[in-house]
PDB file of all heavy atoms in Angstrom:
ATOM      1  N   ASP N  21      25.874 -20.847 -16.480  1.00  0.00           N
ATOM      2  CA  ASP N  21      26.462 -20.156 -17.655  1.00  0.00           C
ATOM      3  C   ASP N  21      25.533 -18.970 -18.009  1.00  0.00           C
ATOM      4  O   ASP N  21      24.427 -19.179 -18.603  1.00  0.00           O
ATOM      5  CB  ASP N  21      26.631 -21.049 -18.842  1.00  0.00           C
ATOM      6  CG  ASP N  21      27.335 -20.388 -19.983  1.00  0.00           C
ATOM      7  OD1 ASP N  21      27.608 -19.170 -19.884  1.00  0.00           O
ATOM      8  OD2 ASP N  21      27.543 -21.089 -20.989  1.00  0.00           O
ATOM      9  N   SER N  22      25.836 -17.793 -17.577  1.00  0.00           N
ATOM     10  CA  SER N  22      25.044 -16.602 -17.766  1.00  0.00           C
ATOM     11  C   SER N  22      24.837 -16.231 -19.204  1.00  0.00           C
ATOM     12  O   SER N  22      24.023 -15.400 -19.580  1.00  0.00           O
ATOM     13  CB  SER N  22      25.506 -15.424 -16.947  1.00  0.00           C
ATOM     14  OG  SER N  22      25.440 -15.676 -15.610  1.00  0.00           O
ATOM     15  N   SER N  23      25.736 -16.783 -20.148  1.00  0.00           N
ATOM     16  CA  SER N  23      25.610 -16.465 -21.520  1.00  0.00           C
ATOM     17  C   SER N  23      24.452 -17.172 -22.173  1.00  0.00           C
ATOM     18  O   SER N  23      23.997 -16.821 -23.235  1.00  0.00           O
ATOM     19  CB  SER N  23      26.913 -16.827 -22.243  1.00  0.00           C
ATOM     20  OG  SER N  23      27.176 -18.213 -22.154  1.00  0.00           O
ATOM     21  N   LYS N  24      23.999 -18.307 -21.567  1.00  0.00           N
ATOM     22  CA  LYS N  24      22.906 -19.034 -22.160  1.00  0.00           C
ATOM     23  C   LYS N  24      21.530 -18.422 -21.870  1.00  0.00           C
ATOM     24  O   LYS N  24      21.340 -17.879 -20.737  1.00  0.00           O
ATOM     25  CB  LYS N  24      22.926 -20.482 -21.583  1.00  0.00           C
ATOM     26  CG  LYS N  24      24.074 -21.299 -22.077  1.00  0.00           C
ATOM     27  CD  LYS N  24      23.987 -22.765 -21.639  1.00  0.00           C
ATOM     28  CE  LYS N  24      25.168 -23.553 -22.182  1.00  0.00           C
ATOM     29  NZ  LYS N  24      25.071 -24.967 -21.678  1.00  0.00           N
ATOM     30  N   ARG N  25      20.629 -18.501 -22.799  1.00  0.00           N
ATOM     31  CA  ARG N  25      19.340 -17.848 -22.684  1.00  0.00           C
ATOM     32  C   ARG N  25      18.267 -18.999 -22.380  1.00  0.00           C
ATOM     33  O   ARG N  25      18.439 -20.057 -22.749  1.00  0.00           O
ATOM     34  CB  ARG N  25      18.934 -17.140 -23.993  1.00  0.00           C
ATOM     35  CG  ARG N  25      20.030 -16.155 -24.523  1.00  0.00           C
ATOM     36  CD  ARG N  25      20.067 -14.941 -23.695  1.00  0.00           C
ATOM     37  NE  ARG N  25      18.879 -14.180 -23.691  1.00  0.00           N
ATOM     38  CZ  ARG N  25      18.573 -13.331 -24.694  1.00  0.00           C
ATOM     39  NH1 ARG N  25      19.374 -13.075 -25.686  1.00  0.00           N
ATOM     40  NH2 ARG N  25      17.429 -12.653 -24.605  1.00  0.00           N
ATOM     41  N   ILE N  26      17.209 -18.577 -21.628  1.00  0.00           N
ATOM     42  CA  ILE N  26      16.112 -19.432 -21.425  1.00  0.00           C
ATOM     43  C   ILE N  26      15.116 -19.239 -22.553  1.00  0.00           C
ATOM     44  O   ILE N  26      15.066 -18.212 -23.245  1.00  0.00           O
ATOM     45  CB  ILE N  26      15.472 -19.200 -20.046  1.00  0.00           C
ATOM     46  CG1 ILE N  26      14.875 -17.803 -19.945  1.00  0.00           C
ATOM     47  CG2 ILE N  26      16.474 -19.545 -18.953  1.00  0.00           C
ATOM     48  CD1 ILE N  26      14.154 -17.548 -18.665  1.00  0.00           C
ATOM     49  N   PRO N  27      14.170 -20.174 -22.731  1.00  0.00           N
ATOM     50  CA  PRO N  27      13.146 -20.097 -23.816  1.00  0.00           C
ATOM     51  C   PRO N  27      12.311 -18.847 -23.664  1.00  0.00           C
ATOM     52  O   PRO N  27      11.926 -18.355 -22.515  1.00  0.00           O
ATOM     53  CB  PRO N  27      12.363 -21.346 -23.647  1.00  0.00           C
ATOM     54  CG  PRO N  27      13.204 -22.345 -22.956  1.00  0.00           C
ATOM     55  CD  PRO N  27      14.087 -21.561 -22.062  1.00  0.00           C
ATOM     56  N   THR N  28      11.945 -18.290 -24.716  1.00  0.00           N
ATOM     57  CA  THR N  28      11.122 -17.018 -24.798  1.00  0.00           C
ATOM     58  C   THR N  28       9.782 -17.289 -24.110  1.00  0.00           C
ATOM     59  O   THR N  28       9.222 -16.441 -23.421  1.00  0.00           O
ATOM     60  CB  THR N  28      10.938 -16.557 -26.199  1.00  0.00           C
ATOM     61  OG1 THR N  28      12.220 -16.199 -26.773  1.00  0.00           O
ATOM     62  CG2 THR N  28      10.089 -15.270 -26.181  1.00  0.00           C
ATOM     63  N   ARG N  29       9.234 -18.508 -24.255  1.00  0.00           N
ATOM     64  CA  ARG N  29       7.887 -18.759 -23.662  1.00  0.00           C
ATOM     65  C   ARG N  29       7.976 -18.673 -22.152  1.00  0.00           C
ATOM     66  O   ARG N  29       6.933 -18.281 -21.554  1.00  0.00           O
ATOM     67  CB  ARG N  29       7.489 -20.176 -24.105  1.00  0.00           C
ATOM     68  CG  ARG N  29       8.283 -21.325 -23.608  1.00  0.00           C
ATOM     69  CD  ARG N  29       7.790 -22.678 -24.011  1.00  0.00           C
ATOM     70  NE  ARG N  29       8.604 -23.762 -23.461  1.00  0.00           N
ATOM     71  CZ  ARG N  29       9.685 -24.323 -24.108  1.00  0.00           C
ATOM     72  NH1 ARG N  29      10.060 -23.739 -25.228  1.00  0.00           N
ATOM     73  NH2 ARG N  29      10.363 -25.232 -23.496  1.00  0.00           N
ATOM     74  N   GLU N  30       9.047 -19.036 -21.473  1.00  0.00           N
ATOM     75  CA  GLU N  30       9.179 -18.879 -20.050  1.00  0.00           C
ATOM     76  C   GLU N  30       9.131 -17.419 -19.672  1.00  0.00           C
ATOM     77  O   GLU N  30       8.560 -17.021 -18.618  1.00  0.00           O
ATOM     78  CB  GLU N  30      10.474 -19.554 -19.579  1.00  0.00           C
ATOM     79  CG  GLU N  30      10.376 -21.093 -19.543  1.00  0.00           C
ATOM     80  CD  GLU N  30      11.582 -21.697 -18.819  1.00  0.00           C
ATOM     81  OE1 GLU N  30      11.871 -21.157 -17.649  1.00  0.00           O
ATOM     82  OE2 GLU N  30      12.129 -22.620 -19.315  1.00  0.00           O
ATOM     83  N   LYS N  31       9.862 -16.590 -20.362  1.00  0.00           N
ATOM     84  CA  LYS N  31       9.958 -15.157 -20.101  1.00  0.00           C
ATOM     85  C   LYS N  31       8.613 -14.461 -20.259  1.00  0.00           C
ATOM     86  O   LYS N  31       8.244 -13.553 -19.507  1.00  0.00           O
ATOM     87  CB  LYS N  31      11.022 -14.461 -20.975  1.00  0.00           C
ATOM     88  CG  LYS N  31      12.447 -14.940 -20.612  1.00  0.00           C
ATOM     89  CD  LYS N  31      13.550 -14.365 -21.468  1.00  0.00           C
ATOM     90  CE  LYS N  31      13.550 -15.066 -22.879  1.00  0.00           C
ATOM     91  NZ  LYS N  31      14.748 -14.646 -23.644  1.00  0.00           N
ATOM     92  N   ILE N  32       7.845 -14.896 -21.262  1.00  0.00           N
ATOM     93  CA  ILE N  32       6.500 -14.374 -21.479  1.00  0.00           C
ATOM     94  C   ILE N  32       5.603 -14.876 -20.377  1.00  0.00           C
ATOM     95  O   ILE N  32       4.807 -14.041 -19.818  1.00  0.00           O
ATOM     96  CB  ILE N  32       5.952 -14.749 -22.891  1.00  0.00           C
ATOM     97  CG1 ILE N  32       6.826 -14.097 -23.997  1.00  0.00           C
ATOM     98  CG2 ILE N  32       4.550 -14.378 -22.954  1.00  0.00           C
ATOM     99  CD1 ILE N  32       6.420 -14.540 -25.373  1.00  0.00           C
ATOM    100  N   ALA N  33       5.650 -16.150 -20.052  1.00  0.00           N
ATOM    101  CA  ALA N  33       4.791 -16.635 -18.960  1.00  0.00           C
ATOM    102  C   ALA N  33       5.103 -15.980 -17.693  1.00  0.00           C
ATOM    103  O   ALA N  33       4.121 -15.750 -16.814  1.00  0.00           O
ATOM    104  CB  ALA N  33       5.153 -18.193 -18.796  1.00  0.00           C
ATOM    105  N   TYR N  34       6.319 -15.561 -17.402  1.00  0.00           N
ATOM    106  CA  TYR N  34       6.657 -14.824 -16.179  1.00  0.00           C
ATOM    107  C   TYR N  34       5.793 -13.544 -16.054  1.00  0.00           C
ATOM    108  O   TYR N  34       5.293 -13.210 -15.017  1.00  0.00           O
ATOM    109  CB  TYR N  34       8.131 -14.558 -16.088  1.00  0.00           C
ATOM    110  CG  TYR N  34       8.469 -13.763 -14.798  1.00  0.00           C
ATOM    111  CD1 TYR N  34       8.450 -14.410 -13.626  1.00  0.00           C
ATOM    112  CD2 TYR N  34       8.766 -12.399 -14.847  1.00  0.00           C
ATOM    113  CE1 TYR N  34       8.822 -13.809 -12.409  1.00  0.00           C
ATOM    114  CE2 TYR N  34       9.095 -11.756 -13.668  1.00  0.00           C
ATOM    115  CZ  TYR N  34       9.123 -12.454 -12.450  1.00  0.00           C
ATOM    116  OH  TYR N  34       9.478 -11.772 -11.276  1.00  0.00           O
ATOM    117  N   GLY N  35       5.716 -12.851 -17.148  1.00  0.00           N
ATOM    118  CA  GLY N  35       4.914 -11.572 -17.193  1.00  0.00           C
ATOM    119  C   GLY N  35       3.451 -11.790 -16.814  1.00  0.00           C
ATOM    120  O   GLY N  35       2.808 -10.827 -16.346  1.00  0.00           O
ATOM    121  N   PHE N  36       2.921 -12.944 -17.072  1.00  0.00           N
ATOM    122  CA  PHE N  36       1.497 -13.150 -16.734  1.00  0.00           C
ATOM    123  C   PHE N  36       1.274 -13.140 -15.192  1.00  0.00           C
ATOM    124  O   PHE N  36       0.047 -12.828 -14.838  1.00  0.00           O
ATOM    125  CB  PHE N  36       1.040 -14.573 -17.236  1.00  0.00           C
ATOM    126  CG  PHE N  36       0.582 -14.501 -18.656  1.00  0.00           C
ATOM    127  CD1 PHE N  36       1.456 -14.619 -19.728  1.00  0.00           C
ATOM    128  CD2 PHE N  36      -0.789 -14.324 -18.995  1.00  0.00           C
ATOM    129  CE1 PHE N  36       1.044 -14.604 -21.062  1.00  0.00           C
ATOM    130  CE2 PHE N  36      -1.193 -14.266 -20.313  1.00  0.00           C
ATOM    131  CZ  PHE N  36      -0.269 -14.407 -21.350  1.00  0.00           C
ATOM    132  N   GLY N  37       2.332 -13.306 -14.477  1.00  0.00           N
ATOM    133  CA  GLY N  37       2.189 -13.192 -12.981  1.00  0.00           C
ATOM    134  C   GLY N  37       1.812 -11.796 -12.585  1.00  0.00           C
ATOM    135  O   GLY N  37       0.865 -11.587 -11.762  1.00  0.00           O
TER     136      GLY N  37
END
Side-chain angles (χ1 to χ4, degrees):
D21 184 356
S22 294
S23 65
K24 290 185 177 180
R25 309 288 296 275
I26 62 174
T28 300
R29 65 177 181 274
E30 285 192 44
K31 292 176 281 189
I32 294 175
Y34 180 72
F36 274 86

